Amino acid sequence: SSVCFVDILKTIGVLAFYWCTSLKTVSIPDSVIEIGQQAFYLCSLTGIFLPTSVQMVKGAAFSLNLLQSVEIGPSESIFLGEHAFAGNPDLVNATVWTKKVTMSNNAFHHTALTNLLFKIIRLDKMTFNKLSKVIIFLFIFIRLFTIIPKYSVI
């Protein structure tokens, strides 16, 4: 139900824990630089902390889990691959502490994100454009599906 890695591990490989539905917790050491494609796909993780050393989270690495929160960094930079955290309907909180983040399409697709916090110094232009679209979408979605009491001050 849990995994703890040795401190010399650099990469968690492709499909490393694919479909390990009994896996509920994982402790990723500061030595890990890369998390491979679908490394924790279809597990039962409820939260994840990616340490400073992680620079790349490849496609669907944490897709289809039971994630409720994600915390990344602090780090110099990180790349979030396509669908990195997608398909986690209970994922409501994500915090990214980094100087530079590059995010592929749909990194947080099919989640319930209500709190997406980027504590960053610089965004590349492509990521800025994608974030702008996400923020606009979230704003419209929240406005459409939030019931505002008659005498509320917004």
Side-chain angles (χ1 to χ4, degrees):
S1 69
S2 67
V3 173
C4 190
F5 298 101
V6 293
D7 287 339
I8 58 170
L9 183 68
K10 299 285 184 208
T11 301
I12 299 173
V14 173
L15 303 172
F17 295 92
Y18 181 88
W19 212 333
C20 289
T21 55
S22 63
L23 183 59
K24 296 180 189 315
T25 61
V26 62
S27 179
I28 298 173
D30 288 332
S31 59
V32 172
I33 295 169
E34 181 181 305
I35 299 174
Q37 188 166 334
Q38 296 182 333
F40 296 97
Y41 188 88
L42 279 169
C43 294
S44 297
L45 302 174
T46 56
I48 192 72
F49 171 74
L50 300 180
T52 302
S53 59
V54 176
Q55 298 172 9
M56 183 173 291
V57 179
K58 292 200 173 171
F62 293 96
S63 288
L64 299 177
N65 274 269
L66 303 173
L67 290 175
Q68 297 171 2
S69 65
V70 171
E71 187 167 350
I72 301 171
S75 64
E76 286 296 314
S77 68
I78 192 157
F79 170 79
L80 301 177
E82 192 164 346
H83 296 100
F85 300 98
N88 287 286
D90 297 327
L91 179 57
V92 293
N93 296 305
T95 304
V96 181
W97 300 74
T98 185
K99 288 184 179 178
K100 180 183 177 194
V101 60
T102 304
M103 203 168 31
S104 290
N105 291 331
N106 303 314
F108 292 96
H109 191 61
H110 289 296
T111 64
L113 272 182
T114 54
N115 298 305
L116 178 58
L117 180 59
F118 286 90
K119 295 193 175 189
I120 53 181
I121 295 171
R122 189 182 102 212
L123 281 176
D124 61 55
K125 187 175 181 177
M126 184 175 79
T127 300
F128 177 79
N129 290 338
K130 287 179 185 173
L131 280 178
S132 298
K133 291 175 187 173
V134 168
I135 291 167
I136 290 168
F137 172 78
L138 286 175
F139 176 77
I140 292 169
F141 182 82
I142 290 167
R143 295 295 283 176
L144 286 175
F145 295 100
T146 301
I147 298 170
I148 302 172
K150 187 175 182 180
Y151 300 103
S152 291
V153 177
I154 300 176

